[in-house]
Amino acid sequence: MRLRLPDDSHVDARIKGKKLKPVCGDRVVAERIPGEDDWLITAIVDRANELTRPNMRGQVEVLAANIDLLIVVAAIEPTPDWFVVDRYLSAAENMPTAAAVVLNKIDLDPDARAETTLSEYAAVGYPTLAASAVSGAGIAEVANLIAARTAIVVGQSGVGKSSLINTLLDTEARATAEISTKRDEGRHTTVNSVMLDLPGGGAVIDSPGVRDYAPALESADAVGRGFREIEAARGDCRFANCRHTREPGCAVKAAVTAGTICERRYESYKRLLNLTSRLGSR
Ligand code: GDP
Ligand code: ZN
């Protein structure tokens, strides 16, 4: 395991005992092992959030921790599935972490037709950007958006996540990343995420698992919290436990009718709620 010290230098570290399971992004308490170059991790600082997925044995596996920004990537090609984007954003709201939507491969769509959907996300307060890992358009804006934060990049396969990350990195940072990935092999067979420092500040946590991350199904309450405009309107619903589907006096449905809540996002909410209820109540 690689450890970044407060002076930004990197050292190898071992883990004290069998119970501690630090993941990429963790902040830890560590001490130098007397007479050695290695450090010893003795404690993990409480996590602000975790990116998790169920593993083969049905246990929850933590892929990364302390994420400041979840960047959902959609692209001109493959045709965006905006429901998938809404699911990622719902997961971000529940982690919780800040989120943004990046539309990649803008070089393939000079007319920028998909940007009309982007504006629906901007309307509810998500930073949105159009970019191209190929032409370089919007890449500086993505770097500015990340700023000093630690980000992860998620989205459907083929949208250009790896390409975007590579474009954000300089060659020097990439070389460092390859070294730390190699060192992790064998010790962490399932989770080997790496922290990639960006040349202008901030970092991206990356691994195949992070890139392929698909949110687990949430409880009905979590689905409600996952749509910030619905969460903001629900206080005016007649019933405190309103699901905003068939209930009378529903402020959310009224807002959809009035056009202040985007109908497409509301449909995503109902679709996700439906998937959840098929699981049975939790
Ligand atoms: P990932 O599965 O999300 O990591 O996607 P990749 O980074 O592997 O990219 C998938 C394909 O899209 C590759 O063939 C890339 O060369 C291509 N690609 C990535 N970004 C862009 C872009 O901005 N414009 C165009 N035209 N192609 C891109
Ligand atoms: Zn309601």
Side-chain angles (χ1 to χ4, degrees):
M1 198 80 337
R2 293 285 279 174
L3 197 60
R4 177 168 48 204
L5 301 181
D7 68 359
D8 277 348
S9 63
H10 291 82
V11 294
D12 285 322
R14 287 185 244 154
I15 302 156
K16 184 177 184 179
K18 291 208 171 73
K19 282 194 185 139
L20 282 186
K21 295 200 167 48
V23 299
C24 198
D26 264 327
R27 294 181 232 300
V28 299
V29 180
E31 59 197 33
R32 179 176 280 238
I33 302 172
E36 289 188 33
D37 290 336
D38 280 12
W39 286 56
L40 186 68
I41 296 171
T42 58
I44 301 172
V45 177
D46 283 347
R47 293 169 178 160
N49 59 38
E50 295 177 332
L51 184 74
T52 61
R53 69 168 180 199
N55 69 12
M56 305 291 190
R57 280 159 291 160
Q59 294 157 329
V60 172
E61 183 182 4
V62 184
L63 296 169
N66 301 317
I67 295 146
D68 302 315
L69 177 67
L70 183 138
I71 299 178
V72 187
V73 183
I76 305 300
E77 264 176 35
T79 305
D81 183 341
W82 297 107
F83 174 63
V84 172
V85 173
D86 290 329
R87 278 194 73 169
Y88 281 117
L89 292 175
S90 175
E93 297 292 344
N94 280 286
M95 278 173 68
T97 187
V101 183
V102 171
L103 183 66
N104 189 35
K105 309 198 191 183
I106 202 72
D107 56 298
L108 299 179
D109 181 25
D111 304 332
R113 288 180 306 269
E115 285 194 62
T116 51
T117 308
L118 269 195
S119 68
E120 295 170 1
Y121 294 104
V124 291
Y126 292 109
T128 60
L129 285 171
S132 168
V134 165
S135 77
I139 298 300
E141 285 78 4
V142 175
N144 279 340
L145 173 71
I146 297 172
R149 295 187 281 184
T150 298
I152 56 170
V153 178
V154 300
Q156 287 174 276
S157 174
V159 292
K161 297 178 294 293
S162 314
S163 308
L164 280 172
I165 292 169
N166 280 333
T167 311
L168 285 165
L169 291 171
D170 65 354
T171 41
E172 201 185 327
R174 221 171 349 200
T176 314
E178 276 156 22
I179 292 163
S180 49
T181 312
K182 276 209 190 90
R183 296 209 83 101
D184 274 351
E185 267 169 21
R187 282 188 172 178
H188 304 274
T189 47
T190 49
V191 184
N192 58 354
S193 307
V194 289
M195 174 88 70
L196 306 167
D197 292 322
L198 301 184
V204 173
I205 294 179
D206 190 39
S207 71
V210 171
R211 254 175 282 139
D212 294 347
Y213 165 74
L217 272 184
E218 295 162 333
S219 68
D221 284 346
V223 173
R225 283 192 299 273
F227 291 73
R228 50 170 65 171
E229 66 275 50
I230 289 175
E231 181 68 8
R234 65 170 295 139
D236 292 328
C237 294
R238 186 178 306 161
F239 303 111
N241 61 351
C242 187
R243 291 273 189 249
H244 327 302
T245 52
R246 281 176 295 271
E247 296 85 347
C250 173
V252 171
K253 277 190 289 176
V256 174
T257 306
T260 50
I261 286 182
C262 166
E263 175 128 37
R264 189 196 58 73
R265 288 266 296 165
Y266 175 62
E267 293 301 328
S268 281
Y269 162 80
K270 285 200 295 189
R271 194 169 151 193
L272 194 49
L273 195 65
N274 241 326
L275 288 173
T276 306
S277 65
R278 244 176 259 162
L279 270 187
S281 52
R282 283 197 270 171

